[in-house]
């Protein structure tokens, strides 16, 4: 392959990802605000986000095939389908992080905004959006990594014997991997690594700036540059206006300002109601779109075929349970990794300056792009030294960990850096030990961040399973597949063109995830809002 083609493909893929990240952030600001202001919308929002985040990108292929490929058709249909799949990999983590940030805004700040009659626009501009910047900065890393993780599925995917692809680095990597062209793979990975490093460094600088500027009394500082300036002195000229006339004038002016402020408040409240209706309408249209697309998939399958799917339901639930065991194991390992290495780097800033960019680059670099090389290197060793069924499980767990560990890691890292400096000074003055500090201060202080990270880890681990449980031709003619797993059922169904079975399995999975969202995520978010907002300690003191 020519380096120019590889460079252009990398720019196309990274540009696609960055544009969709920006769209996710802007839309999430408004949706999160409506969620914290309306309990009904909150229930719909949280449940929907958890359901769609847990369903891996490959689970949306039936809808993409019916709606975009068949509906729009041509190059435009494939491009919109690829963008939708990338957007699906990015948006849920950002939205749930912004919602969690809005839920944990300190109550004194909310009361100040209400006392000063801030309308919807004023609260968004001066309170909610600035307060969400640290959380957004921590969510950008895993979202960017997720997008690149799924880039080979989003930019090129197959349904039955038909293959669809768009111009991008993911397509070139798949082509090189399928034929075992190592030189082209190394070239693609090298050029992609340059782009990932540049973007990761930019995200890292933004994260430092966001925590320093918008965190409440954190030890992180902003670099300030001295500017030479000369103060302008306004000279007041004496007037012959009598004092009582001046008093009347200022009184009228004050009343006029108050009238203007009241008019602005009424306009903001009206705008807030309008925005709420628009947000609800957009969410409703999105749900209608998903529902309509799902109905189209359902109607495309014969009635007799659905009867056979119903008969397979107990087996599908069993395979879902096996996958949940894998997900919980990966989540536990990721949590231990975060509270050990993540905390160490957060408190040792000199070491983090050197090591953190490396971890950020590794997490952002798409694991499916280099995992075939890892597979080719260690597969012979595991085949001779591991239990036969454990060999596949080891590969699955490694890929699943690489696709999810950064959620909890970056969440705890940003959370520790956002702890007010008074709490850290208190631990030093009283010489509090490590385990007591973790139990009494660090974990409670970072609990809102950990809730988001753990929830995203559980929800996104399914993507790693979707790739690892069935990977045909992972390297030359070798295939990686597990014996039991729900993600394997979905993947093999799509490869065999059995869209109905893939859709039915995804539907069962969505029901289970919906219950999980209501029982787990929303309740933990409420707990974090009521009990574990450490910024409240500043006002309590």
């Amino acid at each position: 392959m020519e380096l120019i083609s590889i460079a252009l493909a990398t720019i196309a893929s990274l540009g696609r990802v960055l544009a969709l990240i920006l769209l996710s952030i802007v839309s999430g600001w408004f949706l999160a605000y409506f969620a914290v202001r309306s309990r009904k919308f909150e229930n719909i929002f949280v449940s929907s986000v958890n359901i769609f985040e847990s369903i891996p990108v490959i689970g949306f292929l039936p809808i993409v095939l019916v709606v975009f490929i068949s509906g729009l058709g041509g190059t435009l249909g494939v491009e919109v389908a690829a963008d939708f799949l990338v957007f699906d990999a990015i948006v849920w983590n950002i939205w749930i992080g912004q919602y969690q940030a809005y839920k944990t805004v300190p109550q004194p700040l909310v009361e100040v905004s209400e006392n000063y009659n801030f309308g919807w626009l004023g609260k968004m501009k001066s309170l909610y959006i600035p307060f969400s910047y640290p959380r957004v900065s921590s969510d950008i890393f895993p979202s960017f990594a997720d997008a690149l993780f799924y880039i080979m599925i989003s930019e090129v995917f197959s349904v039955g014997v038909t293959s669809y692809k768009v111009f991008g680095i993911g397509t070139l990597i798949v082509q090189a991997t399928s034929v075992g062209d190592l030189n082209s793979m190394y070239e693609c990975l090298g050029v992609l690594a340059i782009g990932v490093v540049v973007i990761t460094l930019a995200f890292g600088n933004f994260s430092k700036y966001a925590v320093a500027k918008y965190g409440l009394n954190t030890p992180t500082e902003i670099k300030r540059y001295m500017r030479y300036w000369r103060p302008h002195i306004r000279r007041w000229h004496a007037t012959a206006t009598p004092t009582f006339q001046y008093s009347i004038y200022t009184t009228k002016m004050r009343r006029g300002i108050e009238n203007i402020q009241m008019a602005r408040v009424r306009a903001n409240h009206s705008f807030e109601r309008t925005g709420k209706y628009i947000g609800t309408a957009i969410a409703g249209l999105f749900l209608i779109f998903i529902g309509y697309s799902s109905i189209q998939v359902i109607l495309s399958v014969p009635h007799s075929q659905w009867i056979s799917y119903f008969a397979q339901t107990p087996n599908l639930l069993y395979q879902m349970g096996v996958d949940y065991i894998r997900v919980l194991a990966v989540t536990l390992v990721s949590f231990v990794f975060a509270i050990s290495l993540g905390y160490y780097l957060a408190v040792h800033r000199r070491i983090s300056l050197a090591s953190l960019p490396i971890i950020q680059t590794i997490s952002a670099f798409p694991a499916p792009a280099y995992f075939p090389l890892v597979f080719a290197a260690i597969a012979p060793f595991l085949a001779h030294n591991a239990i036969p069924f454990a060999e596949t499980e080891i590969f699955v767990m490694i890929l699943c960990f690489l696709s999810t560990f950064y959620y909890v890691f970056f969440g705890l890292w940003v959370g520790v850096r956002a702890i007010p400096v008074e709490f850290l000074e208190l631990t030093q003055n009283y010489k509090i030990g490590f385990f007591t500090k973790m139990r009494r201060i660090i974990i409670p202080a970072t609990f809102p961040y950990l809730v988001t990270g753990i929830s995203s880890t559980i929800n996104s681990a399914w993507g790693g399973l979707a790739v690892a449980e069935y990977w045909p031709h992972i390297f030359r003619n070798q295939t990686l597949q597990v014996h039991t797993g729900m993600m394997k059922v979905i993947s093999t169904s799509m490869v065999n063109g059995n869209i109905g079975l893939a859709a039915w399995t995804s539907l069962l999975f969505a029901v289970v995830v919906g219950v999980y969202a209501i029982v787990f995520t929303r309740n933990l978010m409420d707990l974090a809002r009521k009990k574990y907002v450490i910024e409240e300690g500043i006002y309590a003191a």
Side-chain angles (χ1 to χ4, degrees):
M1 296 182 185
E2 297 183 358
L3 288 178
I4 296 178
S5 300
I6 296 175
L8 292 177
T10 303
I11 293 174
S13 297
L14 295 180
R16 185 180 291 119
V17 170
L18 293 178
L20 292 172
I21 287 177
L22 180 61
L23 176 62
S24 303
I25 293 173
V26 174
S27 59
W29 280 333
F30 299 100
L31 292 174
Y33 180 79
F34 298 139
V36 298
R37 298 288 291 183
S38 173
R39 191 67 174 180
K40 293 180 180 179
F41 184 80
E42 181 184 21
N43 292 334
I44 298 174
F45 177 77
V46 174
S47 301
S48 301
V49 168
N50 279 274
I51 290 172
F52 293 135
E53 184 181 23
S54 297
I55 299 176
V57 168
I58 194 173
F60 286 90
L61 286 181
I63 295 176
V64 167
L65 179 67
V66 173
V67 178
F68 299 115
I69 304 298
S70 301
L72 296 177
T75 305
L76 177 62
V78 178
E79 178 62 37
V80 174
D83 292 341
F84 176 82
L85 293 175
V86 175
F87 183 75
D88 171 65
I90 293 172
V91 67
W92 313 116
N93 175 60
I94 292 178
W95 281 2
I96 202 68
Q98 291 169 315
Y99 159 76
Q100 191 269 342
Y102 285 12
K103 288 283 286 187
T104 56
V105 173
Q107 189 61 30
L109 295 181
V110 178
E111 293 174 354
V112 169
S113 66
E114 294 175 350
N115 292 337
Y116 279 90
N117 292 324
F118 281 11
W120 174 77
L121 189 60
K123 291 179 182 178
M124 290 290 291
K125 179 182 177 182
S126 303
L127 178 60
Y128 285 104
I129 291 179
F131 192 82
S132 70
Y133 280 146
R135 212 63 53 87
V136 169
S137 68
S138 68
D139 292 330
I140 285 180
F141 290 110
S143 295
F144 180 64
D146 259 359
L148 294 183
F149 181 88
Y150 284 112
I151 200 169
M152 295 199 307
I153 299 177
S154 303
E155 292 187 346
V156 53
F157 52 91
S158 300
V159 179
V161 296
T162 306
S163 179
Y164 304 94
K165 60 183 179 180
V166 296
F167 181 68
I169 191 65
T171 302
L172 298 184
I173 293 176
V174 170
Q175 293 175 352
T177 303
S178 60
V179 297
D181 187 355
L182 296 180
N183 292 331
S184 297
M185 287 182 62
Y186 294 146
E187 292 174 354
C188 291
L189 295 176
V191 175
L192 180 60
I194 295 174
V196 169
V197 169
V198 171
I199 295 177
T200 300
L201 292 176
F203 285 163
N205 291 331
F206 170 72
S207 177
K208 295 177 184 177
Y209 174 80
V211 173
K213 184 175 178 64
Y214 298 103
L216 293 182
N217 204 21
T218 65
T220 308
E221 297 180 356
I222 302 177
K223 291 183 179 180
R224 303 185 183 277
Y225 301 93
M226 182 64 67
R227 295 182 179 180
Y228 295 97
W229 59 279
R230 183 174 60 185
H232 298 279
I233 302 176
R234 178 175 295 179
R235 301 181 182 275
W236 295 93
H237 298 281
T239 62
T241 307
T243 303
F244 74 92
Q245 291 183 0
Y246 180 75
S247 301
I248 295 174
Y249 170 75
T250 54
T251 302
K252 290 181 179 180
M253 185 175 64
R254 188 182 302 112
R255 290 176 179 174
I257 293 175
E258 291 176 354
N259 292 334
I260 292 174
Q261 290 177 345
M262 291 301 297
R264 288 179 178 176
V265 170
R266 288 193 294 268
N268 284 331
H269 285 309
S270 177
F271 190 62
E272 178 181 355
R273 289 194 299 269
T274 303
K276 181 178 179 180
Y277 295 147
I278 294 175
T280 305
I282 293 175
L285 290 175
F286 181 75
L287 293 176
I288 292 173
F289 166 75
I290 296 296
Y292 174 74
S293 304
S294 302
I295 291 174
Q296 282 188 307
V297 174
I298 292 173
L299 295 179
S300 63
V301 179
H303 181 265
S304 58
Q305 195 70 32
W306 282 115
I307 297 177
S308 66
Y309 297 155
F310 291 143
Q312 299 180 50
T313 299
N315 180 51
L316 294 176
L317 293 177
Y318 166 72
Q319 302 206 45
M320 188 188 306
V322 173
D323 275 352
Y324 259 111
I325 295 176
R326 296 187 177 110
V327 169
L328 293 178
V330 171
T331 302
L332 179 61
V333 174
S334 300
F335 179 76
V336 174
F337 180 81
I339 63 175
S340 55
L341 182 60
Y343 173 75
Y344 181 81
L345 294 179
V347 297
H348 295 81
R349 301 187 183 280
R350 292 184 179 180
I351 299 177
S352 66
L353 290 176
S355 58
L356 197 61
I358 299 175
I359 297 176
Q360 291 171 341
T361 303
I362 293 174
S363 64
F365 204 76
Y370 63 83
F371 192 75
L373 300 178
V374 177
F375 176 85
I378 65 177
F381 173 78
L382 291 179
H384 293 87
N385 298 278
I387 303 175
F389 73 87
E391 175 187 355
T392 302
E393 292 296 333
I394 291 174
F395 283 117
V396 171
M397 300 303 289
I398 291 175
L399 183 57
C400 201
F401 175 79
L402 291 174
S403 66
T404 56
F405 79 91
Y406 40 78
Y407 286 107
V408 186
F409 177 84
F410 288 122
L412 184 131
W413 176 69
V414 174
V416 172
R417 294 184 61 190
I419 295 176
V421 67
E422 290 85 356
F423 290 88
L424 300 178
E425 292 175 350
L426 185 67
T427 61
Q428 295 175 357
N429 295 336
Y430 283 89
K431 297 180 180 181
I432 298 177
F434 173 77
F435 292 103
T436 303
K437 184 191 302 183
M438 293 295 295
R439 183 169 59 93
R440 295 286 187 178
I441 296 177
I442 301 300
I443 292 181
T446 59
F447 186 75
Y449 296 86
L450 290 175
V451 170
T452 303
I454 292 175
S455 178
S456 297
T457 299
I458 295 175
N459 293 335
S460 300
W462 299 99
L465 294 180
V467 176
E469 287 190 359
Y470 180 72
W471 193 334
H473 308 293
I474 182 174
F475 190 78
R476 293 194 174 97
N477 294 325
Q478 294 177 287
T479 297
L480 176 65
Q481 61 177 327
V482 298
H483 182 268
T484 303
M486 181 187 64
M487 292 298 107
K488 177 189 175 183
V489 174
I490 297 177
S491 300
T492 55
S493 299
M494 294 301 302
V495 171
N496 298 327
N498 193 349
I499 301 176
L501 180 58
W504 174 246
T505 307
S506 299
L507 179 60
L508 290 176
F509 185 47
V511 173
V512 174
V513 173
V515 176
Y516 154 79
I518 296 174
V519 174
F520 179 79
T521 304
R522 194 189 68 180
N523 290 333
L524 283 184
M525 291 293 184
D526 291 338
L527 179 62
R529 173 71 179 93
K530 297 175 181 178
K531 192 174 181 180
Y532 294 104
V533 182
I534 196 170
E535 291 85 355
E536 299 275 10
I538 297 176
Y539 304 98

